[in-house]
Amino acid sequence: SALSLALLACIALQSSPQPVCSLRPTVPANTETTAALPTLAELSMMSAEELAKQDLALLNLRAAEGLPGSDNLNVTEVLSTLDRWARKVKLDTDRNLYRFLQKPDEFNHSEAYYRMLMLVTVLQQDFGVHYNQERIKDIDFTRSQDLFLHGMVGSFNGGTCVSMPVLYTAVARRLGYPVYLVNAKEHLFCRWDAPGERINVEGTNQGMNSFDDLHYRNWPHPISTQEVESGHYLKSLTNAE
């Protein structure tokens, strides 16, 4: 909600409260990259089970290598930056968890909603993640920096609905969150998908919104029941997919 976003926007300006133990423990964001990163060719030979163990960000960056606009792409540096960003998200999320505990109604009574709102807020406000406004009307699929992670990490280019959900999902997984990518028609978003709680996360605008599946059945283009049942749209995607 707008109220929640406004509240979180003030966090950095206030003094640090005493930390509160999380209701759902998170995995420390210490997944530091190593030199032994598989190549695109090696990734393409992996089984679905093997791909499921790979970093989503690595898969994305390997696919970008060699494309126009990726001349200065350093995969190891980008992955290390994402590790650092995840640590900052975890720090701010844990430090401000008391806000959710005190006023859960401002976060839809959902810790998952609070955690994803914090994640999107920190990445946008602290690290400048934003939508490339030039791509709203001038779509250009020849620019890899508009479609892959390196356009938002170490670059002022910004992202699009193709790349921003991947960034949010890659950082969320570094924190142990059950977050997945989801296809709408000509759109991509991410979803917290765990037993008993499923939240769609829309972070391509300023701040975060959460819409139900019915919203994406009609936007940005209609999706028929047959298309949904066929598995093409609105399902949580695995790494292999």
Side-chain angles (χ1 to χ4, degrees):
S1 66
L3 177 60
S4 300
L5 183 57
L7 176 65
L8 290 174
C10 298
I11 288 173
L13 302 178
Q14 300 183 13
S15 58
S16 301
Q18 292 299 315
V20 180
C21 293
S22 171
L23 300 178
R24 183 185 295 108
T26 59
V27 176
N30 59 357
T31 55
E32 299 296 344
T33 56
T34 65
L37 297 174
T39 65
L40 180 60
E42 291 170 335
L43 291 169
S44 67
M45 297 297 292
M46 291 182 181
S47 65
E49 292 74 17
E50 291 172 320
L51 281 176
K53 301 175 183 178
Q54 298 298 318
D55 182 1
L56 175 65
L58 174 63
L59 301 179
N60 181 274
L61 294 168
R62 285 303 193 206
E65 286 182 312
L67 298 177
S70 67
D71 299 350
N72 298 318
L73 171 58
N74 184 313
V75 173
T76 301
E77 286 185 4
V78 173
L79 295 178
S80 295
T81 298
L82 293 180
D83 291 340
R84 177 169 56 84
W85 288 6
R87 288 194 295 270
K88 182 62 164 63
V89 171
K90 183 180 188 302
L91 175 66
D92 284 1
T93 300
D94 292 347
R95 181 170 65 89
N96 292 284
L97 183 60
Y98 78 101
R99 297 178 182 271
F100 166 73
L101 298 178
Q102 290 179 350
K103 297 182 178 180
D105 56 303
E106 294 186 356
F107 305 95
N108 296 340
H109 293 275
S110 167
E111 186 179 336
Y113 181 95
Y114 161 76
R115 288 182 176 278
M116 290 306 297
L117 178 59
M118 281 297 303
L119 183 149
V120 172
T121 300
V122 171
L123 292 180
Q124 290 187 3
Q125 294 188 358
D126 290 17
F127 301 116
V129 172
H130 66 279
Y131 197 97
N132 184 342
Q133 297 297 313
E134 294 181 1
R135 298 285 81 82
I136 294 178
K137 294 183 178 180
D138 182 19
I139 301 174
D140 185 353
F141 292 110
T142 67
R143 292 169 44 87
S144 66
Q145 59 267 50
D146 290 335
L147 308 174
F148 295 89
L149 292 177
H150 63 284
M152 297 172 288
V153 183
S155 170
F156 294 108
N157 181 81
T160 62
C161 68
V162 176
S163 58
M164 294 179 74
V166 177
L167 175 63
Y168 297 141
T169 302
V171 173
R173 290 183 180 180
R174 281 165 163 73
L175 299 171
Y177 295 172
V179 175
Y180 302 86
L181 293 172
V182 184
N183 274 321
K185 189 167 286 188
E186 297 187 17
H187 186 68
L188 192 68
F189 61 96
C190 50
R191 172 187 289 154
W192 181 294
D193 198 348
E197 188 158 36
R198 193 173 88 158
I199 300 172
N200 294 333
V201 176
E202 186 65 60
T204 50
N205 297 315
Q206 186 174 4
M208 187 190 97
N209 292 303
S210 182
F211 305 109
D212 60 19
D213 285 4
L214 182 59
H215 170 81
Y216 296 104
R217 286 288 299 267
N218 298 284
W219 183 90
H221 300 287
I223 302 174
S224 69
T225 299
Q226 182 179 3
E227 288 174 316
V228 173
E229 292 176 347
S230 69
H232 294 309
Y233 299 108
L234 302 184
K235 76 168 186 174
S236 300
L237 299 174
T238 66
N239 251 18
E241 292 172 318

mmCIF file of all heavy atoms in Angstrom, residues 224-233:
data_model
loop_
_atom_site.group_PDB
_atom_site.id
_atom_site.type_symbol
_atom_site.label_atom_id
_atom_site.label_comp_id
_atom_site.label_asym_id
_atom_site.label_seq_id
_atom_site.Cartn_x
_atom_site.Cartn_y
_atom_site.Cartn_z
ATOM 1 N N SER A 224 -6.411 -16.521 -21.808
ATOM 2 C CA SER A 224 -7.582 -17.393 -21.762
ATOM 3 C C SER A 224 -7.392 -18.500 -20.722
ATOM 4 O O SER A 224 -6.271 -18.827 -20.317
ATOM 5 C CB SER A 224 -7.828 -18.018 -23.129
ATOM 6 O OG SER A 224 -6.793 -18.945 -23.443
ATOM 7 N N THR A 225 -8.497 -19.103 -20.329
ATOM 8 C CA THR A 225 -8.451 -20.228 -19.396
ATOM 9 C C THR A 225 -7.653 -21.378 -19.982
ATOM 10 O O THR A 225 -6.880 -22.045 -19.289
ATOM 11 C CB THR A 225 -9.880 -20.691 -19.060
ATOM 12 O OG1 THR A 225 -10.591 -19.611 -18.443
ATOM 13 C CG2 THR A 225 -9.851 -21.883 -18.121
ATOM 14 N N GLN A 226 -7.811 -21.602 -21.278
ATOM 15 C CA GLN A 226 -7.073 -22.680 -21.936
ATOM 16 C C GLN A 226 -5.568 -22.424 -21.872
ATOM 17 O O GLN A 226 -4.784 -23.355 -21.645
ATOM 18 C CB GLN A 226 -7.515 -22.792 -23.401
ATOM 19 C CG GLN A 226 -6.827 -23.925 -24.156
ATOM 20 C CD GLN A 226 -7.294 -24.034 -25.600
ATOM 21 O OE1 GLN A 226 -8.097 -23.232 -26.066
ATOM 22 N NE2 GLN A 226 -6.812 -25.037 -26.311
ATOM 23 N N GLU A 227 -5.160 -21.182 -22.047
ATOM 24 C CA GLU A 227 -3.734 -20.852 -21.980
ATOM 25 C C GLU A 227 -3.186 -21.066 -20.575
ATOM 26 O O GLU A 227 -2.047 -21.518 -20.399
ATOM 27 C CB GLU A 227 -3.512 -19.411 -22.431
ATOM 28 C CG GLU A 227 -3.701 -19.201 -23.929
ATOM 29 C CD GLU A 227 -3.606 -17.741 -24.325
ATOM 30 O OE1 GLU A 227 -4.201 -16.889 -23.625
ATOM 31 O OE2 GLU A 227 -2.942 -17.443 -25.347
ATOM 32 N N VAL A 228 -3.974 -20.720 -19.574
ATOM 33 C CA VAL A 228 -3.538 -20.940 -18.195
ATOM 34 C C VAL A 228 -3.417 -22.432 -17.911
ATOM 35 O O VAL A 228 -2.426 -22.904 -17.343
ATOM 36 C CB VAL A 228 -4.521 -20.286 -17.196
ATOM 37 C CG1 VAL A 228 -4.154 -20.661 -15.763
ATOM 38 C CG2 VAL A 228 -4.522 -18.773 -17.361
ATOM 39 N N GLU A 229 -4.424 -23.200 -18.317
ATOM 40 C CA GLU A 229 -4.430 -24.637 -18.050
ATOM 41 C C GLU A 229 -3.322 -25.370 -18.798
ATOM 42 O O GLU A 229 -2.865 -26.435 -18.358
ATOM 43 C CB GLU A 229 -5.791 -25.230 -18.416
ATOM 44 C CG GLU A 229 -6.918 -24.748 -17.501
ATOM 45 C CD GLU A 229 -8.271 -25.266 -17.928
ATOM 46 O OE1 GLU A 229 -8.370 -25.797 -19.068
ATOM 47 O OE2 GLU A 229 -9.236 -25.140 -17.143
ATOM 48 N N SER A 230 -2.873 -24.797 -19.901
ATOM 49 C CA SER A 230 -1.793 -25.429 -20.663
ATOM 50 C C SER A 230 -0.435 -25.243 -19.996
ATOM 51 O O SER A 230 0.546 -25.890 -20.379
ATOM 52 C CB SER A 230 -1.749 -24.855 -22.083
ATOM 53 O OG SER A 230 -1.324 -23.498 -22.063
ATOM 54 N N GLY A 231 -0.367 -24.361 -18.995
ATOM 55 C CA GLY A 231 0.887 -24.149 -18.270
ATOM 56 C C GLY A 231 1.776 -23.085 -18.840
ATOM 57 O O GLY A 231 2.922 -22.923 -18.397
ATOM 58 N N HIS A 232 1.275 -22.320 -19.821
ATOM 59 C CA HIS A 232 2.103 -21.275 -20.424
ATOM 60 C C HIS A 232 2.198 -20.034 -19.538
ATOM 61 O O HIS A 232 3.209 -19.326 -19.563
ATOM 62 C CB HIS A 232 1.545 -20.883 -21.795
ATOM 63 C CG HIS A 232 1.627 -21.967 -22.815
ATOM 64 N ND1 HIS A 232 2.788 -22.656 -23.091
ATOM 65 C CD2 HIS A 232 0.692 -22.497 -23.651
ATOM 66 C CE1 HIS A 232 2.577 -23.548 -24.041
ATOM 67 N NE2 HIS A 232 1.298 -23.484 -24.395
ATOM 68 N N TYR A 233 1.167 -19.756 -18.771
ATOM 69 C CA TYR A 233 1.124 -18.503 -18.032
ATOM 70 C C TYR A 233 0.686 -18.714 -16.571
ATOM 71 O O TYR A 233 0.000 -19.683 -16.239
ATOM 72 C CB TYR A 233 0.139 -17.525 -18.693
ATOM 73 C CG TYR A 233 0.498 -17.146 -20.104
ATOM 74 C CD1 TYR A 233 -0.252 -17.636 -21.190
ATOM 75 C CD2 TYR A 233 1.579 -16.332 -20.387
ATOM 76 C CE1 TYR A 233 0.079 -17.303 -22.493
ATOM 77 C CE2 TYR A 233 1.914 -15.986 -21.694
ATOM 78 C CZ TYR A 233 1.171 -16.468 -22.735
ATOM 79 O OH TYR A 233 1.493 -16.144 -24.031
#
